[in-house]
């Protein structure tokens, strides 16, 4: 089962993903994509660490998502990735187009090949606002939107969360 959860900032998407993971009664592997870029982000990471159940295994990976997916593809496991838009940002900030495309393709390929684990992915829906003025911001919105479209095609379930309310788009 591939489960894709989208929503705006503070919409409740991570809470929903964590609830679904907990209710699965499976071993949870939590792949966190955030990097400590400043003090505020460090505090956010610490808060997230403290709020997750102690028995969940956390993998912190900012660039290579395909490897932890492959390494943890086993029966009785659910892999929760939070968040794909941070991952896209991490890759874009490397300013290496080949790295970006390579990591994206490896990730999508591995997602298609998952045999045993369920996967829940969380991402920010970026396409509901105006077109950003800056080049990097426009690229971020474009790349996130294209990635979301590809994942939605692969996913068994797609949920859009608004104000803490999940709306099933695909099931």
């Amino acid at each position: 089962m591939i489960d894709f959860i989208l929503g705006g900032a503070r919409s409740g998407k991570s809470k929903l993903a964590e609830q679904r993971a907990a209710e699965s009664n499976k071993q949870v592997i939590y792949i966190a994509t955030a990097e400590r870029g400043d003090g505020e982000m460090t505090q956010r990471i610490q808060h997230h660490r403290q709020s997750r159940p102690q028995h969940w295994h956390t993998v912190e990976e900012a660039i290579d998502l395909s490897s932890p997916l492959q390494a943890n593809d086993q029966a009785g496991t659910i892999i929760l990735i939070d968040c794909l838009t941070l991952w896209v940002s991490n890759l874009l900030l490397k300013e290496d187009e080949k790295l970006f495309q390579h990591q994206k393709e490896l990730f999508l390929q591995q997602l298609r090949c998952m045999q045993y684990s369920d996967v829940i992915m969380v991402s920010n829906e970026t396409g509901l606002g105006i077109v950003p003025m800056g080049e990097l911001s426009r690229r971020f919105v474009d790349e996130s939107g294209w990635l979301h479209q590809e994942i939605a095609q692969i996913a068994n379930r797609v949920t859009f969360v608004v104000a803490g309310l999940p709306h099933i788009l695909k099931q």
Side-chain angles (χ1 to χ4, degrees):
M1 162 71 115
I2 307 275
D3 192 353
F4 187 34
I5 301 173
L6 294 159
R10 303 293 166 259
S11 63
K13 61 194 176 299
S14 293
K15 181 178 178 181
L16 177 64
E18 291 174 5
Q19 178 183 4
R20 287 180 179 172
E23 290 173 353
S24 75
N25 293 318
K26 296 181 179 184
Q27 176 186 349
V28 177
I29 309 294
Y30 192 106
I31 302 175
T33 62
E35 288 187 303
R36 291 176 199 86
D38 56 42
E40 191 269 338
M41 185 55 92
T42 299
Q43 288 178 346
R44 282 179 184 242
I45 291 169
Q46 188 61 31
H47 171 74
H48 279 277
R49 282 182 184 154
Q50 292 172 347
S51 66
R52 286 192 291 268
Q54 296 270 333
H55 62 278
W56 287 11
H57 177 69
T58 300
V59 175
E60 293 184 353
E61 179 53 58
I63 300 296
D64 178 10
L65 290 184
S66 63
S67 293
L69 277 178
Q70 183 178 27
N72 292 289
D73 188 16
Q74 50 197 323
T77 301
I78 192 160
I79 301 170
L80 194 165
I81 303 170
D82 195 356
C83 129
L84 293 177
T85 41
L86 282 175
W87 176 64
V88 168
S89 294
N90 297 339
L91 285 167
L92 289 176
L93 291 173
K94 296 288 184 196
E95 297 181 356
D96 183 336
E97 181 63 26
K98 288 182 183 179
L99 174 69
F100 179 87
Q101 293 303 329
H102 180 70
Q103 287 299 325
K104 178 182 167 184
E105 196 52 48
L106 285 175
F107 170 67
L108 291 170
Q109 182 179 30
Q110 183 58 47
L111 199 55
R112 288 182 191 99
C113 294
M114 297 300 286
Q115 295 182 9
Y116 306 108
S117 293
D118 292 332
V119 179
I120 300 174
M121 293 167 286
V122 175
S123 199
N124 289 287
E125 176 51 61
T126 61
L128 296 175
I130 61 171
V131 176
M133 291 183 61
E135 181 180 347
L136 180 59
S137 297
R138 284 191 303 274
R139 174 103 193 274
F140 170 75
V141 169
D142 290 348
E143 293 294 350
S144 296
W146 292 325
L147 176 68
H148 294 165
Q149 289 179 53
E150 291 186 70
I151 291 172
Q153 292 301 310
I154 298 167
N156 303 96
R157 176 169 57 190
V158 179
T159 307
F160 184 64
V161 182
V162 179
L165 301 173
H167 301 275
I168 303 296
L169 303 179
K170 177 181 178 182
Q171 186 160 340

